[in-house]
Amino acid sequence: MWEKVKSFASDFFVTGDPLIYGADVSIVLAAISIVFVMTYFKKWGWLWREWLTSVDHKKIGIMYILASFLMLFRGGVDALLMRAQLVVPEMEFLTPDHYNQIFTTHGVIMILFMAMPFMFGLFNVIVPLQIGARDVAFPFLNALSFWLFFSGAMLFNLSFVIGGSPDAGWLAYPPYSGLMHNPGPGQDFYIWGIQISGIGSLMTGINFIVTILKMRAPGMKLMKMPMFPWSVLSSCIAIIFSFPILTATLALLFLDRYAGAHFFTLDGGGNPMMYINLIWMWGHPEVYIIVLPAFGIFSEIVSTFAKKKLFGYKSMVYAMMIISILSFLVWAHHFFTMGSGADVNAFFALTTMLIAIPTGAKVFNWLFTMFRGKITFETPMLWTIGFIPCFVTGGMTGVLLSVAPADFQFHNSYFLVAHFHHVIIGGVVFGYFAGLYYWWPKLFGFKLHERIGKWAFWLWNIGFYLCFMPQYALGLMGMTRRVATYGWDKGWWEMNLVSTIGAGLMGIAFVVQVWQIVYSVKHLRKDRTGDPWNGRTLEWSIPSPAPLYNFATLPQVTAQDEWWEEKLLRDNGQSSSVPPALEPIHMPKNSGIPFVMSMFWFAAGFGFVFQWLWLIIAGLVGVAVCMLVHSFNYDNDYYISVDEIKRTEAAIREVPN
């Protein structure tokens, strides 16, 4: 009996690597600490009532952002481990197998479990406030979206210590991801972690399209909307058309592995290139899905800190919607070398060049907005200005990659790695950092410490350029992606050393950001104005943090920058708007079903990974029961009384600045 237990444990848990043992100890200690703190301070009831069962879009947004920071830490550690392995030739810090696992998990985590939840967190916190809504269109679905994302992310990350991580690359190309070459559970963790979280992402896309189109404040026509909701709308349109492709593609791959199908195996009549086409039909729109909201964030910040109306508002709107459409017509530029022929390569080269036009136009809009503006250089504006040269560099190298003959030289080299990170870090991560700094006071009622924030900004930027600029040269010198080591004769070690130093500086910058948050909480200086940046849009017209119902009375919108125009009228003594009388506010009740349902999805996914039929059935039955219970739950809303609204407003507006 004991031998059977030992045999099962040795197969079930990842063993043999000191780094994994260290992670095991860290996970156990962290779990014990959390349980101890929650029990000692008697916070389990509070956690359940206020967070685990919440359908408040602001709390869901905060949970998304917190999860994103945890994933940024995990993915960042993966990056540092890879750079440590490549710092000098013939390094033996990581085994080749472990290196393959780390670059696979790094890519998946950073794109799907860091950038996506960061984006969804900002969607949740800001979009309803900017369009003058009290909630999202489907609060229950919104909570379910988050918990499905979270359970999928946890399932994927569990592979680190149980079963083994996937190692076929972040897009899992066959035949590497097929059962013959990848028989362990790692690839199934990949499939089901992404599948479960992807369902949540699709729900979020649907939810925010309906929210933006149907729940804008009275008078807010589409062309009076702030730019961030426009960017969210364009991103969500791409989500609802691209994520079903991902779901179907991974389902086919799972059938290949689980049921003996041969969709992607040549000797069974399938074709692995079909997988690569399908995955990039999702994969390239995904790049624009995560970068479009960053464009909206930069538009809001530039206008606020230049104290000017955004230049070329309509052209920005058209540019983002065009990008959303064109993003589906460029996928084959990822494999110009596959032998499709000159006609196919020419078509996708042209569409790739075309999509650069609306992308580049926005940069000029931001520059013209800043032109002759009264610019102040607070932290959000620094991140915005830092983004521009970084993203322009990434865009220019992207145009180089779009030239099919040149791509035969650049393909699969570190030139491509540098380009991709210029766009994703310089565009997406810098954008979301800018948004987080900008809207932090609206989330928590206080600003983050400016001086520490500027230290973090400079460390991030210096580290970024040190890390990735040498990689362009490495690519041109012949260094390909995914190599776990190299020889002294290659002449690559100097550039790799500089690149690793830059990665270390970015790691230090992340630690400084955590210190900034802790320091700001400890030395809290509460914002009593609700408008610490002298903002232009509706979220700054209400107290910080926003009350549960957001707006005591729905705003009446007459202009594009409604709050800015209202302040100008007040300053000139011309404001004659009289707020309407208070009325009871209809709000959704909290529900524990989304959390419970996601746990059943987690159980079903875990069962599929290890092919435990009993757990698959139990998990899916649990999901069905949760859906049934929710279908017959008619007590899912309530009204906030006028008296309670008055008490809340009096309390949050009590102390002037």
Side-chain angles (χ1 to χ4, degrees):
M1 178 65 179
W2 177 242
E3 290 301 321
K4 288 184 178 180
V5 171
K6 286 173 62 178
S7 175
F8 171 79
S10 63
D11 292 334
F12 188 69
F13 294 103
V14 179
T15 58
D17 191 316
L19 290 173
I20 303 297
Y21 293 142
D24 291 336
V25 173
S26 300
I27 291 168
V28 171
L29 291 177
I32 292 172
S33 300
I34 292 170
V35 171
F36 173 78
V37 170
M38 297 299 294
T39 305
Y40 182 81
F41 291 102
K42 300 178 180 178
K43 289 292 185 179
W44 289 110
W46 166 83
L47 180 66
W48 176 258
R49 292 188 305 272
E50 298 296 326
W51 295 96
L52 300 185
T53 63
S54 177
V55 296
D56 179 6
H57 68 94
K58 298 177 290 296
K59 289 184 177 179
I60 290 171
I62 291 170
M63 290 191 289
Y64 265 123
I65 293 169
L66 179 60
S68 173
F69 261 67
L70 291 173
M71 294 297 101
L72 178 59
F73 172 76
R74 164 73 203 277
V77 170
D78 283 346
L80 291 173
L81 291 173
M82 284 189 288
R83 290 312 318 167
Q85 171 63 19
L86 295 172
V87 63
V88 292
E90 300 175 5
M91 192 75 168
E92 296 182 356
F93 176 62
L94 299 173
T95 65
D97 285 343
H98 196 182
Y99 185 87
N100 288 348
Q101 293 173 5
I102 285 175
F103 80 67
T104 298
T105 56
H106 168 74
V108 175
I109 286 170
M110 287 304 206
I111 297 294
L112 290 169
F113 300 135
M114 188 282 289
M116 290 291 284
F118 209 155
M119 176 181 82
F120 289 152
L122 294 173
F123 284 13
N124 270 278
V125 171
I126 299 306
V127 169
L129 301 182
Q130 283 202 329
I131 66 173
R134 291 196 170 112
D135 210 323
V136 295
F138 307 115
F140 178 90
L141 193 70
N142 196 33
L144 181 58
S145 300
F146 168 74
W147 287 114
L148 285 176
F149 148 75
F150 188 78
S151 60
M154 291 302 101
L155 182 64
F156 179 87
N157 278 273
L158 202 61
S159 66
F160 185 48
V161 294
I162 293 177
S165 297
D167 60 2
W170 82 278
L171 288 177
Y173 288 175
Y176 305 120
S177 56
L179 194 61
M180 179 183 295
H181 300 286
N182 214 316
Q187 202 55 46
D188 296 313
F189 272 115
Y190 172 98
I191 292 170
W192 286 100
I194 295 176
Q195 284 286 52
I196 294 170
S197 66
I199 296 169
S201 298
L202 182 59
M203 290 176 177
T204 299
I206 296 168
N207 203 350
F208 278 90
I209 288 176
V210 178
T211 299
I212 292 168
L213 295 182
K214 292 294 187 180
M215 297 189 68
R216 301 188 308 279
M220 183 178 280
K221 305 296 184 183
L222 281 173
M223 282 299 176
K224 290 180 182 176
M225 264 199 325
M227 194 52 62
F228 183 61
W230 268 116
S231 70
V232 172
L233 181 62
S234 59
S235 177
C236 289
I237 289 171
I239 286 174
I240 64 171
F241 285 106
S242 65
F243 266 80
I245 302 173
L246 175 67
T247 301
T249 305
L250 293 181
L252 294 177
L253 180 62
F254 185 72
L255 288 174
D256 271 12
R257 293 176 56 83
Y258 190 77
H262 294 285
F263 293 105
F264 308 126
T265 51
L266 281 172
D267 57 354
N271 188 345
M273 277 310 304
M274 181 170 72
Y275 177 93
I276 296 173
N277 274 279
L278 287 171
I279 202 72
W280 278 115
M281 285 179 189
W282 160 80
H284 205 86
E286 167 66 8
V287 173
Y288 289 101
I289 284 167
I290 58 177
V291 81
L292 281 167
F295 295 158
I297 292 168
F298 292 132
S299 300
E300 302 290 346
I301 291 172
V302 165
S303 185
T304 296
F305 291 100
K307 299 174 180 62
K308 283 177 61 183
K309 191 178 289 291
L310 182 68
F311 180 89
Y313 173 90
K314 288 185 178 179
S315 67
M316 291 285 279
V317 171
Y318 296 144
M320 284 193 285
M321 299 309 291
I322 289 168
I323 289 170
S324 183
I325 295 167
L326 286 179
S327 68
F328 287 89
L329 301 175
V330 296
W331 81 86
H333 71 208
H334 289 274
F335 34 91
F336 280 142
T337 60
M338 76 178 183
S340 293
D343 292 342
V344 172
N345 284 1
F347 174 82
F348 285 99
L350 286 171
T351 56
T352 305
M353 294 175 194
L354 279 174
I355 205 170
I357 296 171
T359 306
K362 292 191 294 301
V363 175
F364 289 101
N365 285 19
W366 296 319
L367 292 174
F368 284 129
T369 304
M370 288 188 276
F371 181 63
R372 292 183 176 175
K374 298 178 181 178
I375 302 174
T376 53
F377 295 95
E378 284 89 348
T379 315
M381 190 62 177
L382 284 181
W383 282 104
T384 302
I385 294 173
F387 144 82
I388 291 175
C390 186
F391 191 78
V392 167
T393 303
M396 290 170 62
T397 53
V399 173
L400 289 175
L401 287 161
S402 75
V403 180
D407 188 66
F408 275 72
Q409 170 66 35
F410 304 139
H411 185 77
N412 247 17
S413 74
Y414 258 75
F415 188 95
L416 176 61
V417 174
H419 154 73
F420 184 76
H421 284 85
H422 253 92
V423 173
I424 297 301
I425 295 180
V428 177
V429 179
F430 284 11
Y432 295 168
F433 281 165
L436 185 63
Y437 282 106
Y438 181 57
W439 284 308
W440 184 277
K442 189 54 56 182
L443 275 170
F444 300 108
F446 64 94
K447 290 165 67 173
L448 289 171
H449 192 272
E450 277 288 310
R451 183 178 297 176
I452 302 175
K454 289 174 180 176
W455 273 103
F457 167 79
W458 286 111
L459 285 169
W460 262 105
N461 275 265
I462 295 169
F464 174 81
Y465 285 104
L466 279 176
C467 183
F468 294 107
M469 292 306 287
Q471 293 182 11
Y472 286 114
L474 285 167
L476 296 177
M477 293 163 66
M479 185 171 178
T480 57
R481 304 163 71 188
R482 308 183 182 97
V483 293
T485 188
Y486 54 94
W488 287 96
D489 59 323
K490 298 292 186 182
W492 300 340
W493 76 269
E494 298 96 332
M495 293 291 188
N496 273 300
L497 176 62
V498 174
S499 185
T500 301
I501 291 171
L505 281 178
M506 287 192 285
I508 294 170
F510 177 78
V511 174
V512 172
Q513 285 179 307
V514 174
W515 171 41
Q516 179 190 14
I517 294 171
V518 173
Y519 184 92
S520 302
V521 171
K522 185 177 179 181
H523 300 85
L524 190 146
R525 299 179 63 182
K526 188 167 178 59
D527 167 50
R528 300 292 184 181
T529 67
D531 187 14
W533 307 118
N534 194 18
R536 307 178 70 87
T537 44
L538 288 176
E539 75 269 29
W540 304 112
S541 67
I542 58 177
S544 300
L548 175 65
Y549 47 78
N550 296 345
F551 298 90
T553 58
L554 292 180
Q556 301 290 318
V557 177
T558 59
Q560 182 185 317
D561 291 336
E562 175 63 26
W563 178 233
W564 182 260
E565 298 297 332
E566 175 66 21
K567 288 189 289 187
L568 289 179
L569 290 174
R570 289 182 184 180
D571 292 343
N572 295 327
Q574 298 174 1
S575 179
S576 59
S577 60
V578 178
L582 293 175
E583 296 179 354
I585 297 175
H586 179 251
M587 296 296 291
K589 283 186 176 179
N590 285 359
S591 174
I593 294 176
F595 176 76
V596 174
M597 189 188 297
S598 73
M599 294 301 101
F600 281 120
W601 269 113
F602 179 92
F606 196 84
F608 276 117
V609 168
F610 287 98
Q611 301 182 18
W612 295 347
L613 188 60
W614 63 272
L615 190 56
I616 296 171
I617 294 172
L620 294 180
V621 167
V623 170
V625 169
C626 287
M627 295 172 68
L628 193 66
V629 170
H630 179 63
S631 298
F632 288 95
N633 177 26
Y634 301 106
D635 183 23
N636 52 20
D637 55 4
Y638 71 104
Y639 283 88
I640 301 175
S641 68
V642 171
D643 288 341
E644 187 175 347
I645 297 170
K646 288 179 178 178
R647 286 194 300 271
T648 303
E649 291 293 305
I652 59 182
R653 298 177 187 271
E654 181 180 10
V655 183
N657 191 29

